[in-house]
Amino acid sequence: MDPGYRGALKPTGGSSAWHKRRPLELRETLVSYAFLLPALAFFGVFVVYPILVGVFTSFFDYTMRKFDFVGLDNYIRLFGDKIFLKSMKNTILLVAGAVPMVVIFSVFISSTIYQKSPLVRSLFRGVFYLPVVTGTVSVTVVWKWIFDPFSGVLNWVLQSAGLTDQPIMWLGDRRYALWAILAVLFTTSIGQPVVLYTAALGNLDKSQIEAAEIDGASDWQVFRYVKWPGMMPTTLYVAVITTINSFQCFSLIQLLTSGGPNYNTSTVMYLLYERAFKLMQFGYANAMGVVLAVVIGIISILQFRVFGSNVEY
């Protein structure tokens, strides 16, 4: 409670009445924490405790038969593991490709559909949001058919247009497989940003936009100096969430390529799953998880530093 408010509650005629209020305030505080207790307990049991156990076991050679303390050996082993380094490189490439594409494409689509009628705007928001509410398995089944080298629509279009003579193994050729994953990740990541940016455009101060237009500002200048600063909180949110989701990309890899060919589409999350649940190397897998969490934390802090300085709440 605000100290000034406490002072206002304190009676000027004596301290006895004020002391009678203190149990009431204490009871209100305890009741408030009691309402928070279920959520705090859930968070502690299902989030904090697994994180602590994961960090703790990352210092052990933890398998189905062993649980031996090895100190930092798992971490030292990670940075000499070529498969882990390749998976980290693939993960960073997915993040570096997906985040800018999602932000730029979502801003473009939102700016375009916002100028349409409410009915058309709602239709397009629903279309772009559809992959988000559709199950990942359903989406990957469709994309697997699109990428099929013999009966897929993508090769049919390219061959019909004369752009290629031979069918391309989109998910089996190391030259194309990661880009195919990036394309699927992109299409499944733009739904929420499109909806958020459209809402952000609706919350901008119309008087500032009209004043800029009356002063002769071009469409680009209106967007750059009026609309874009107003959308910075949304951009910060979209950038951070898309970065985290891209770093945690697992289901698309598992369903489309299983990390192949030769780990060329493996990500850290997929390799973590493979080491933990196929090879039963729980301690080593937890070390991967800790490193991934540290990398995500550092990049998120940098994003807050870069975008947060221009955000006005």
PDB file of all heavy atoms in Angstrom, residues 43-78:
ATOM      1  N   PHE A  43       3.068 -22.786 -10.384  1.00  0.00           N
ATOM      2  CA  PHE A  43       4.292 -22.299 -11.028  1.00  0.00           C
ATOM      3  C   PHE A  43       5.536 -22.925 -10.377  1.00  0.00           C
ATOM      4  O   PHE A  43       6.482 -23.333 -11.066  1.00  0.00           O
ATOM      5  CB  PHE A  43       4.346 -20.778 -10.923  1.00  0.00           C
ATOM      6  CG  PHE A  43       5.523 -20.157 -11.618  1.00  0.00           C
ATOM      7  CD1 PHE A  43       5.531 -20.013 -12.999  1.00  0.00           C
ATOM      8  CD2 PHE A  43       6.614 -19.714 -10.890  1.00  0.00           C
ATOM      9  CE1 PHE A  43       6.609 -19.447 -13.643  1.00  0.00           C
ATOM     10  CE2 PHE A  43       7.702 -19.139 -11.534  1.00  0.00           C
ATOM     11  CZ  PHE A  43       7.697 -19.006 -12.917  1.00  0.00           C
ATOM     12  N   GLY A  44       5.509 -23.023  -9.057  1.00  0.00           N
ATOM     13  CA  GLY A  44       6.666 -23.584  -8.360  1.00  0.00           C
ATOM     14  C   GLY A  44       6.863 -25.061  -8.649  1.00  0.00           C
ATOM     15  O   GLY A  44       7.990 -25.509  -8.893  1.00  0.00           O
ATOM     16  N   VAL A  45       5.761 -25.828  -8.664  1.00  0.00           N
ATOM     17  CA  VAL A  45       5.862 -27.280  -8.850  1.00  0.00           C
ATOM     18  C   VAL A  45       6.168 -27.648 -10.299  1.00  0.00           C
ATOM     19  O   VAL A  45       7.012 -28.521 -10.567  1.00  0.00           O
ATOM     20  CB  VAL A  45       4.554 -27.966  -8.397  1.00  0.00           C
ATOM     21  CG1 VAL A  45       4.571 -29.445  -8.768  1.00  0.00           C
ATOM     22  CG2 VAL A  45       4.381 -27.802  -6.892  1.00  0.00           C
ATOM     23  N   PHE A  46       5.511 -26.968 -11.246  1.00  0.00           N
ATOM     24  CA  PHE A  46       5.622 -27.390 -12.633  1.00  0.00           C
ATOM     25  C   PHE A  46       6.588 -26.555 -13.475  1.00  0.00           C
ATOM     26  O   PHE A  46       6.836 -26.891 -14.638  1.00  0.00           O
ATOM     27  CB  PHE A  46       4.240 -27.377 -13.293  1.00  0.00           C
ATOM     28  CG  PHE A  46       3.306 -28.409 -12.719  1.00  0.00           C
ATOM     29  CD1 PHE A  46       2.318 -28.046 -11.820  1.00  0.00           C
ATOM     30  CD2 PHE A  46       3.459 -29.752 -13.048  1.00  0.00           C
ATOM     31  CE1 PHE A  46       1.477 -29.001 -11.273  1.00  0.00           C
ATOM     32  CE2 PHE A  46       2.611 -30.704 -12.510  1.00  0.00           C
ATOM     33  CZ  PHE A  46       1.625 -30.343 -11.617  1.00  0.00           C
ATOM     34  N   VAL A  47       7.117 -25.455 -12.934  1.00  0.00           N
ATOM     35  CA  VAL A  47       8.067 -24.645 -13.697  1.00  0.00           C
ATOM     36  C   VAL A  47       9.400 -24.519 -12.945  1.00  0.00           C
ATOM     37  O   VAL A  47      10.454 -24.917 -13.469  1.00  0.00           O
ATOM     38  CB  VAL A  47       7.490 -23.235 -13.986  1.00  0.00           C
ATOM     39  CG1 VAL A  47       8.526 -22.389 -14.735  1.00  0.00           C
ATOM     40  CG2 VAL A  47       6.213 -23.340 -14.803  1.00  0.00           C
ATOM     41  N   VAL A  48       9.360 -23.966 -11.743  1.00  0.00           N
ATOM     42  CA  VAL A  48      10.609 -23.695 -11.020  1.00  0.00           C
ATOM     43  C   VAL A  48      11.323 -25.001 -10.638  1.00  0.00           C
ATOM     44  O   VAL A  48      12.533 -25.149 -10.869  1.00  0.00           O
ATOM     45  CB  VAL A  48      10.328 -22.842  -9.763  1.00  0.00           C
ATOM     46  CG1 VAL A  48      11.622 -22.643  -8.964  1.00  0.00           C
ATOM     47  CG2 VAL A  48       9.740 -21.497 -10.158  1.00  0.00           C
ATOM     48  N   TYR A  49      10.574 -25.951 -10.059  1.00  0.00           N
ATOM     49  CA  TYR A  49      11.199 -27.201  -9.611  1.00  0.00           C
ATOM     50  C   TYR A  49      11.841 -27.982 -10.773  1.00  0.00           C
ATOM     51  O   TYR A  49      13.006 -28.409 -10.662  1.00  0.00           O
ATOM     52  CB  TYR A  49      10.163 -28.064  -8.888  1.00  0.00           C
ATOM     53  CG  TYR A  49      10.697 -29.409  -8.452  1.00  0.00           C
ATOM     54  CD1 TYR A  49      11.637 -29.505  -7.429  1.00  0.00           C
ATOM     55  CD2 TYR A  49      10.265 -30.572  -9.082  1.00  0.00           C
ATOM     56  CE1 TYR A  49      12.136 -30.741  -7.046  1.00  0.00           C
ATOM     57  CE2 TYR A  49      10.766 -31.811  -8.703  1.00  0.00           C
ATOM     58  CZ  TYR A  49      11.692 -31.891  -7.689  1.00  0.00           C
ATOM     59  OH  TYR A  49      12.198 -33.110  -7.318  1.00  0.00           O
ATOM     60  N   PRO A  50      11.144 -28.180 -11.919  1.00  0.00           N
ATOM     61  CA  PRO A  50      11.812 -28.871 -13.037  1.00  0.00           C
ATOM     62  C   PRO A  50      13.053 -28.139 -13.535  1.00  0.00           C
ATOM     63  O   PRO A  50      14.038 -28.775 -13.925  1.00  0.00           O
ATOM     64  CB  PRO A  50      10.729 -28.916 -14.118  1.00  0.00           C
ATOM     65  CG  PRO A  50       9.443 -28.845 -13.377  1.00  0.00           C
ATOM     66  CD  PRO A  50       9.712 -27.937 -12.217  1.00  0.00           C
ATOM     67  N   ILE A  51      13.007 -26.794 -13.523  1.00  0.00           N
ATOM     68  CA  ILE A  51      14.194 -26.042 -13.969  1.00  0.00           C
ATOM     69  C   ILE A  51      15.372 -26.326 -13.030  1.00  0.00           C
ATOM     70  O   ILE A  51      16.500 -26.598 -13.473  1.00  0.00           O
ATOM     71  CB  ILE A  51      13.881 -24.529 -14.011  1.00  0.00           C
ATOM     72  CG1 ILE A  51      12.921 -24.229 -15.163  1.00  0.00           C
ATOM     73  CG2 ILE A  51      15.167 -23.723 -14.166  1.00  0.00           C
ATOM     74  CD1 ILE A  51      12.456 -22.784 -15.209  1.00  0.00           C
ATOM     75  N   LEU A  52      15.119 -26.269 -11.725  1.00  0.00           N
ATOM     76  CA  LEU A  52      16.194 -26.509 -10.755  1.00  0.00           C
ATOM     77  C   LEU A  52      16.735 -27.938 -10.876  1.00  0.00           C
ATOM     78  O   LEU A  52      17.958 -28.155 -10.822  1.00  0.00           O
ATOM     79  CB  LEU A  52      15.678 -26.249  -9.334  1.00  0.00           C
ATOM     80  CG  LEU A  52      15.292 -24.797  -9.031  1.00  0.00           C
ATOM     81  CD1 LEU A  52      14.734 -24.687  -7.618  1.00  0.00           C
ATOM     82  CD2 LEU A  52      16.486 -23.877  -9.210  1.00  0.00           C
ATOM     83  N   VAL A  53      15.830 -28.906 -11.050  1.00  0.00           N
ATOM     84  CA  VAL A  53      16.270 -30.300 -11.203  1.00  0.00           C
ATOM     85  C   VAL A  53      17.087 -30.460 -12.493  1.00  0.00           C
ATOM     86  O   VAL A  53      18.115 -31.165 -12.526  1.00  0.00           O
ATOM     87  CB  VAL A  53      15.057 -31.251 -11.209  1.00  0.00           C
ATOM     88  CG1 VAL A  53      15.481 -32.668 -11.587  1.00  0.00           C
ATOM     89  CG2 VAL A  53      14.391 -31.261  -9.843  1.00  0.00           C
ATOM     90  N   GLY A  54      16.644 -29.787 -13.562  1.00  0.00           N
ATOM     91  CA  GLY A  54      17.369 -29.861 -14.832  1.00  0.00           C
ATOM     92  C   GLY A  54      18.780 -29.304 -14.713  1.00  0.00           C
ATOM     93  O   GLY A  54      19.743 -29.896 -15.209  1.00  0.00           O
ATOM     94  N   VAL A  55      18.893 -28.140 -14.057  1.00  0.00           N
ATOM     95  CA  VAL A  55      20.224 -27.547 -13.865  1.00  0.00           C
ATOM     96  C   VAL A  55      21.081 -28.464 -12.988  1.00  0.00           C
ATOM     97  O   VAL A  55      22.263 -28.705 -13.270  1.00  0.00           O
ATOM     98  CB  VAL A  55      20.094 -26.148 -13.233  1.00  0.00           C
ATOM     99  CG1 VAL A  55      21.478 -25.588 -12.893  1.00  0.00           C
ATOM    100  CG2 VAL A  55      19.367 -25.202 -14.177  1.00  0.00           C
ATOM    101  N   PHE A  56      20.499 -28.993 -11.922  1.00  0.00           N
ATOM    102  CA  PHE A  56      21.250 -29.860 -10.993  1.00  0.00           C
ATOM    103  C   PHE A  56      21.755 -31.121 -11.697  1.00  0.00           C
ATOM    104  O   PHE A  56      22.937 -31.474 -11.595  1.00  0.00           O
ATOM    105  CB  PHE A  56      20.333 -30.236  -9.824  1.00  0.00           C
ATOM    106  CG  PHE A  56      20.957 -31.178  -8.844  1.00  0.00           C
ATOM    107  CD1 PHE A  56      21.967 -30.755  -7.984  1.00  0.00           C
ATOM    108  CD2 PHE A  56      20.532 -32.500  -8.776  1.00  0.00           C
ATOM    109  CE1 PHE A  56      22.548 -31.638  -7.081  1.00  0.00           C
ATOM    110  CE2 PHE A  56      21.110 -33.387  -7.876  1.00  0.00           C
ATOM    111  CZ  PHE A  56      22.122 -32.954  -7.023  1.00  0.00           C
ATOM    112  N   THR A  57      20.890 -31.790 -12.443  1.00  0.00           N
ATOM    113  CA  THR A  57      21.293 -33.050 -13.080  1.00  0.00           C
ATOM    114  C   THR A  57      22.213 -32.836 -14.279  1.00  0.00           C
ATOM    115  O   THR A  57      22.810 -33.803 -14.766  1.00  0.00           O
ATOM    116  CB  THR A  57      20.055 -33.839 -13.535  1.00  0.00           C
ATOM    117  OG1 THR A  57      19.231 -32.993 -14.359  1.00  0.00           O
ATOM    118  CG2 THR A  57      19.250 -34.328 -12.352  1.00  0.00           C
ATOM    119  N   SER A  58      22.328 -31.585 -14.758  1.00  0.00           N
ATOM    120  CA  SER A  58      23.248 -31.340 -15.877  1.00  0.00           C
ATOM    121  C   SER A  58      24.703 -31.507 -15.443  1.00  0.00           C
ATOM    122  O   SER A  58      25.591 -31.583 -16.293  1.00  0.00           O
ATOM    123  CB  SER A  58      23.023 -29.938 -16.449  1.00  0.00           C
ATOM    124  OG  SER A  58      23.446 -28.943 -15.532  1.00  0.00           O
ATOM    125  N   PHE A  59      24.946 -31.562 -14.136  1.00  0.00           N
ATOM    126  CA  PHE A  59      26.315 -31.761 -13.630  1.00  0.00           C
ATOM    127  C   PHE A  59      26.592 -33.237 -13.332  1.00  0.00           C
ATOM    128  O   PHE A  59      27.587 -33.559 -12.690  1.00  0.00           O
ATOM    129  CB  PHE A  59      26.531 -30.931 -12.360  1.00  0.00           C
ATOM    130  CG  PHE A  59      26.425 -29.453 -12.595  1.00  0.00           C
ATOM    131  CD1 PHE A  59      25.316 -28.741 -12.157  1.00  0.00           C
ATOM    132  CD2 PHE A  59      27.425 -28.773 -13.269  1.00  0.00           C
ATOM    133  CE1 PHE A  59      25.204 -27.379 -12.372  1.00  0.00           C
ATOM    134  CE2 PHE A  59      27.333 -27.412 -13.493  1.00  0.00           C
ATOM    135  CZ  PHE A  59      26.210 -26.717 -13.052  1.00  0.00           C
ATOM    136  N   PHE A  60      25.702 -34.127 -13.782  1.00  0.00           N
ATOM    137  CA  PHE A  60      25.855 -35.548 -13.503  1.00  0.00           C
ATOM    138  C   PHE A  60      25.873 -36.348 -14.807  1.00  0.00           C
ATOM    139  O   PHE A  60      25.265 -35.925 -15.805  1.00  0.00           O
ATOM    140  CB  PHE A  60      24.697 -36.060 -12.636  1.00  0.00           C
ATOM    141  CG  PHE A  60      24.763 -35.583 -11.210  1.00  0.00           C
ATOM    142  CD1 PHE A  60      24.343 -34.308 -10.863  1.00  0.00           C
ATOM    143  CD2 PHE A  60      25.273 -36.418 -10.219  1.00  0.00           C
ATOM    144  CE1 PHE A  60      24.412 -33.869  -9.557  1.00  0.00           C
ATOM    145  CE2 PHE A  60      25.339 -35.981  -8.900  1.00  0.00           C
ATOM    146  CZ  PHE A  60      24.920 -34.706  -8.570  1.00  0.00           C
ATOM    147  N   ASP A  61      26.555 -37.476 -14.773  1.00  0.00           N
ATOM    148  CA  ASP A  61      26.447 -38.461 -15.846  1.00  0.00           C
ATOM    149  C   ASP A  61      25.209 -39.296 -15.526  1.00  0.00           C
ATOM    150  O   ASP A  61      25.287 -40.341 -14.893  1.00  0.00           O
ATOM    151  CB  ASP A  61      27.713 -39.339 -15.890  1.00  0.00           C
ATOM    152  CG  ASP A  61      27.651 -40.354 -17.025  1.00  0.00           C
ATOM    153  OD1 ASP A  61      26.741 -40.230 -17.866  1.00  0.00           O
ATOM    154  OD2 ASP A  61      28.496 -41.264 -17.056  1.00  0.00           O
ATOM    155  N   TYR A  62      24.069 -38.805 -15.989  1.00  0.00           N
ATOM    156  CA  TYR A  62      22.767 -39.322 -15.569  1.00  0.00           C
ATOM    157  C   TYR A  62      22.172 -40.150 -16.709  1.00  0.00           C
ATOM    158  O   TYR A  62      21.798 -39.607 -17.752  1.00  0.00           O
ATOM    159  CB  TYR A  62      21.863 -38.142 -15.201  1.00  0.00           C
ATOM    160  CG  TYR A  62      20.477 -38.502 -14.761  1.00  0.00           C
ATOM    161  CD1 TYR A  62      20.148 -39.765 -14.291  1.00  0.00           C
ATOM    162  CD2 TYR A  62      19.461 -37.535 -14.804  1.00  0.00           C
ATOM    163  CE1 TYR A  62      18.867 -40.072 -13.884  1.00  0.00           C
ATOM    164  CE2 TYR A  62      18.184 -37.823 -14.392  1.00  0.00           C
ATOM    165  CZ  TYR A  62      17.886 -39.099 -13.950  1.00  0.00           C
ATOM    166  OH  TYR A  62      16.612 -39.393 -13.551  1.00  0.00           O
ATOM    167  N   THR A  63      22.147 -41.462 -16.520  1.00  0.00           N
ATOM    168  CA  THR A  63      21.535 -42.374 -17.489  1.00  0.00           C
ATOM    169  C   THR A  63      20.587 -43.298 -16.719  1.00  0.00           C
ATOM    170  O   THR A  63      20.312 -43.076 -15.538  1.00  0.00           O
ATOM    171  CB  THR A  63      22.593 -43.203 -18.229  1.00  0.00           C
ATOM    172  OG1 THR A  63      23.254 -44.065 -17.287  1.00  0.00           O
ATOM    173  CG2 THR A  63      23.630 -42.311 -18.895  1.00  0.00           C
ATOM    174  N   MET A  64      20.114 -44.350 -17.396  1.00  0.00           N
ATOM    175  CA  MET A  64      19.224 -45.296 -16.716  1.00  0.00           C
ATOM    176  C   MET A  64      19.963 -46.110 -15.664  1.00  0.00           C
ATOM    177  O   MET A  64      19.348 -46.678 -14.764  1.00  0.00           O
ATOM    178  CB  MET A  64      18.596 -46.241 -17.750  1.00  0.00           C
ATOM    179  CG  MET A  64      17.646 -45.544 -18.716  1.00  0.00           C
ATOM    180  SD  MET A  64      16.182 -44.889 -17.917  1.00  0.00           S
ATOM    181  CE  MET A  64      15.277 -46.409 -17.626  1.00  0.00           C
ATOM    182  N   ARG A  65      21.296 -46.185 -15.787  1.00  0.00           N
ATOM    183  CA  ARG A  65      22.068 -47.020 -14.870  1.00  0.00           C
ATOM    184  C   ARG A  65      23.010 -46.238 -13.976  1.00  0.00           C
ATOM    185  O   ARG A  65      23.524 -46.769 -12.996  1.00  0.00           O
ATOM    186  CB  ARG A  65      22.876 -48.050 -15.663  1.00  0.00           C
ATOM    187  CG  ARG A  65      22.015 -49.018 -16.441  1.00  0.00           C
ATOM    188  CD  ARG A  65      22.876 -50.022 -17.166  1.00  0.00           C
ATOM    189  NE  ARG A  65      22.072 -51.010 -17.880  1.00  0.00           N
ATOM    190  CZ  ARG A  65      22.576 -51.986 -18.606  1.00  0.00           C
ATOM    191  NH1 ARG A  65      23.888 -52.112 -18.741  1.00  0.00           N
ATOM    192  NH2 ARG A  65      21.772 -52.840 -19.205  1.00  0.00           N
ATOM    193  N   LYS A  66      23.300 -44.988 -14.327  1.00  0.00           N
ATOM    194  CA  LYS A  66      24.314 -44.231 -13.577  1.00  0.00           C
ATOM    195  C   LYS A  66      23.763 -42.880 -13.140  1.00  0.00           C
ATOM    196  O   LYS A  66      22.891 -42.302 -13.787  1.00  0.00           O
ATOM    197  CB  LYS A  66      25.555 -44.017 -14.446  1.00  0.00           C
ATOM    198  CG  LYS A  66      26.328 -45.275 -14.760  1.00  0.00           C
ATOM    199  CD  LYS A  66      27.646 -44.953 -15.435  1.00  0.00           C
ATOM    200  CE  LYS A  66      27.455 -44.379 -16.805  1.00  0.00           C
ATOM    201  NZ  LYS A  66      28.722 -44.164 -17.520  1.00  0.00           N
ATOM    202  N   PHE A  67      24.333 -42.414 -12.052  1.00  0.00           N
ATOM    203  CA  PHE A  67      24.048 -41.047 -11.608  1.00  0.00           C
ATOM    204  C   PHE A  67      25.303 -40.553 -10.879  1.00  0.00           C
ATOM    205  O   PHE A  67      25.356 -40.435  -9.671  1.00  0.00           O
ATOM    206  CB  PHE A  67      22.830 -41.027 -10.679  1.00  0.00           C
ATOM    207  CG  PHE A  67      22.338 -39.635 -10.392  1.00  0.00           C
ATOM    208  CD1 PHE A  67      21.695 -38.885 -11.359  1.00  0.00           C
ATOM    209  CD2 PHE A  67      22.539 -39.058  -9.147  1.00  0.00           C
ATOM    210  CE1 PHE A  67      21.256 -37.605 -11.099  1.00  0.00           C
ATOM    211  CE2 PHE A  67      22.092 -37.778  -8.875  1.00  0.00           C
ATOM    212  CZ  PHE A  67      21.447 -37.053  -9.851  1.00  0.00           C
ATOM    213  N   ASP A  68      26.346 -40.268 -11.699  1.00  0.00           N
ATOM    214  CA  ASP A  68      27.650 -39.907 -11.155  1.00  0.00           C
ATOM    215  C   ASP A  68      27.937 -38.431 -11.390  1.00  0.00           C
ATOM    216  O   ASP A  68      27.726 -37.927 -12.508  1.00  0.00           O
ATOM    217  CB  ASP A  68      28.752 -40.747 -11.818  1.00  0.00           C
ATOM    218  CG  ASP A  68      28.528 -42.235 -11.606  1.00  0.00           C
ATOM    219  OD1 ASP A  68      27.987 -42.593 -10.530  1.00  0.00           O
ATOM    220  OD2 ASP A  68      28.870 -43.029 -12.505  1.00  0.00           O
ATOM    221  N   PHE A  69      28.448 -37.785 -10.345  1.00  0.00           N
ATOM    222  CA  PHE A  69      28.776 -36.355 -10.484  1.00  0.00           C
ATOM    223  C   PHE A  69      29.988 -36.194 -11.404  1.00  0.00           C
ATOM    224  O   PHE A  69      31.018 -36.839 -11.200  1.00  0.00           O
ATOM    225  CB  PHE A  69      29.082 -35.767  -9.109  1.00  0.00           C
ATOM    226  CG  PHE A  69      29.406 -34.303  -9.150  1.00  0.00           C
ATOM    227  CD1 PHE A  69      28.416 -33.359  -9.353  1.00  0.00           C
ATOM    228  CD2 PHE A  69      30.725 -33.872  -9.007  1.00  0.00           C
ATOM    229  CE1 PHE A  69      28.715 -32.003  -9.397  1.00  0.00           C
ATOM    230  CE2 PHE A  69      31.026 -32.521  -9.052  1.00  0.00           C
ATOM    231  CZ  PHE A  69      30.025 -31.587  -9.244  1.00  0.00           C
ATOM    232  N   VAL A  70      29.838 -35.345 -12.426  1.00  0.00           N
ATOM    233  CA  VAL A  70      30.950 -35.127 -13.372  1.00  0.00           C
ATOM    234  C   VAL A  70      31.301 -33.655 -13.500  1.00  0.00           C
ATOM    235  O   VAL A  70      32.110 -33.284 -14.353  1.00  0.00           O
ATOM    236  CB  VAL A  70      30.593 -35.694 -14.766  1.00  0.00           C
ATOM    237  CG1 VAL A  70      30.484 -37.201 -14.711  1.00  0.00           C
ATOM    238  CG2 VAL A  70      29.311 -35.059 -15.304  1.00  0.00           C
ATOM    239  N   GLY A  71      30.710 -32.805 -12.678  1.00  0.00           N
ATOM    240  CA  GLY A  71      31.028 -31.371 -12.735  1.00  0.00           C
ATOM    241  C   GLY A  71      30.616 -30.748 -14.055  1.00  0.00           C
ATOM    242  O   GLY A  71      29.471 -30.896 -14.506  1.00  0.00           O
ATOM    243  N   LEU A  72      31.570 -30.061 -14.694  1.00  0.00           N
ATOM    244  CA  LEU A  72      31.289 -29.354 -15.953  1.00  0.00           C
ATOM    245  C   LEU A  72      31.575 -30.210 -17.185  1.00  0.00           C
ATOM    246  O   LEU A  72      31.593 -29.684 -18.302  1.00  0.00           O
ATOM    247  CB  LEU A  72      32.126 -28.071 -16.004  1.00  0.00           C
ATOM    248  CG  LEU A  72      31.800 -27.013 -14.947  1.00  0.00           C
ATOM    249  CD1 LEU A  72      32.798 -25.865 -15.026  1.00  0.00           C
ATOM    250  CD2 LEU A  72      30.381 -26.484 -15.123  1.00  0.00           C
ATOM    251  N   ASP A  73      31.807 -31.494 -16.993  1.00  0.00           N
ATOM    252  CA  ASP A  73      32.172 -32.350 -18.136  1.00  0.00           C
ATOM    253  C   ASP A  73      31.121 -32.355 -19.235  1.00  0.00           C
ATOM    254  O   ASP A  73      31.463 -32.364 -20.427  1.00  0.00           O
ATOM    255  CB  ASP A  73      32.410 -33.793 -17.653  1.00  0.00           C
ATOM    256  CG  ASP A  73      33.769 -33.934 -16.983  1.00  0.00           C
ATOM    257  OD1 ASP A  73      34.470 -32.901 -16.870  1.00  0.00           O
ATOM    258  OD2 ASP A  73      34.112 -35.055 -16.560  1.00  0.00           O
ATOM    259  N   ASN A  74      29.835 -32.351 -18.848  1.00  0.00           N
ATOM    260  CA  ASN A  74      28.783 -32.332 -19.879  1.00  0.00           C
ATOM    261  C   ASN A  74      28.860 -31.066 -20.721  1.00  0.00           C
ATOM    262  O   ASN A  74      28.659 -31.111 -21.941  1.00  0.00           O
ATOM    263  CB  ASN A  74      27.405 -32.432 -19.222  1.00  0.00           C
ATOM    264  CG  ASN A  74      27.088 -33.843 -18.770  1.00  0.00           C
ATOM    265  OD1 ASN A  74      27.579 -34.802 -19.357  1.00  0.00           O
ATOM    266  ND2 ASN A  74      26.289 -33.973 -17.719  1.00  0.00           N
ATOM    267  N   TYR A  75      29.154 -29.931 -20.075  1.00  0.00           N
ATOM    268  CA  TYR A  75      29.242 -28.660 -20.804  1.00  0.00           C
ATOM    269  C   TYR A  75      30.491 -28.632 -21.686  1.00  0.00           C
ATOM    270  O   TYR A  75      30.453 -28.138 -22.821  1.00  0.00           O
ATOM    271  CB  TYR A  75      29.252 -27.491 -19.822  1.00  0.00           C
ATOM    272  CG  TYR A  75      27.937 -27.348 -19.088  1.00  0.00           C
ATOM    273  CD1 TYR A  75      27.744 -27.933 -17.841  1.00  0.00           C
ATOM    274  CD2 TYR A  75      26.878 -26.650 -19.652  1.00  0.00           C
ATOM    275  CE1 TYR A  75      26.542 -27.822 -17.176  1.00  0.00           C
ATOM    276  CE2 TYR A  75      25.666 -26.528 -18.992  1.00  0.00           C
ATOM    277  CZ  TYR A  75      25.505 -27.113 -17.753  1.00  0.00           C
ATOM    278  OH  TYR A  75      24.298 -27.011 -17.101  1.00  0.00           O
ATOM    279  N   ILE A  76      31.607 -29.160 -21.167  1.00  0.00           N
ATOM    280  CA  ILE A  76      32.828 -29.217 -21.976  1.00  0.00           C
ATOM    281  C   ILE A  76      32.621 -30.139 -23.179  1.00  0.00           C
ATOM    282  O   ILE A  76      33.030 -29.826 -24.303  1.00  0.00           O
ATOM    283  CB  ILE A  76      34.001 -29.705 -21.097  1.00  0.00           C
ATOM    284  CG1 ILE A  76      34.279 -28.684 -19.984  1.00  0.00           C
ATOM    285  CG2 ILE A  76      35.246 -29.939 -21.936  1.00  0.00           C
ATOM    286  CD1 ILE A  76      35.253 -29.160 -18.933  1.00  0.00           C
ATOM    287  N   ARG A  77      31.929 -31.239 -22.937  1.00  0.00           N
ATOM    288  CA  ARG A  77      31.647 -32.189 -24.024  1.00  0.00           C
ATOM    289  C   ARG A  77      30.762 -31.570 -25.108  1.00  0.00           C
ATOM    290  O   ARG A  77      30.930 -31.836 -26.298  1.00  0.00           O
ATOM    291  CB  ARG A  77      30.963 -33.419 -23.422  1.00  0.00           C
ATOM    292  CG  ARG A  77      30.596 -34.499 -24.413  1.00  0.00           C
ATOM    293  CD  ARG A  77      29.857 -35.617 -23.683  1.00  0.00           C
ATOM    294  NE  ARG A  77      29.136 -36.476 -24.608  1.00  0.00           N
ATOM    295  CZ  ARG A  77      28.205 -37.337 -24.229  1.00  0.00           C
ATOM    296  NH1 ARG A  77      27.892 -37.445 -22.945  1.00  0.00           N
ATOM    297  NH2 ARG A  77      27.583 -38.083 -25.119  1.00  0.00           N
ATOM    298  N   LEU A  78      29.836 -30.705 -24.671  1.00  0.00           N
ATOM    299  CA  LEU A  78      28.924 -30.063 -25.624  1.00  0.00           C
ATOM    300  C   LEU A  78      29.682 -29.282 -26.678  1.00  0.00           C
ATOM    301  O   LEU A  78      29.400 -29.387 -27.877  1.00  0.00           O
ATOM    302  CB  LEU A  78      27.992 -29.098 -24.884  1.00  0.00           C
ATOM    303  CG  LEU A  78      26.685 -29.631 -24.319  1.00  0.00           C
ATOM    304  CD1 LEU A  78      25.921 -28.501 -23.662  1.00  0.00           C
ATOM    305  CD2 LEU A  78      25.857 -30.240 -25.434  1.00  0.00           C
TER     306      LEU A  78
END
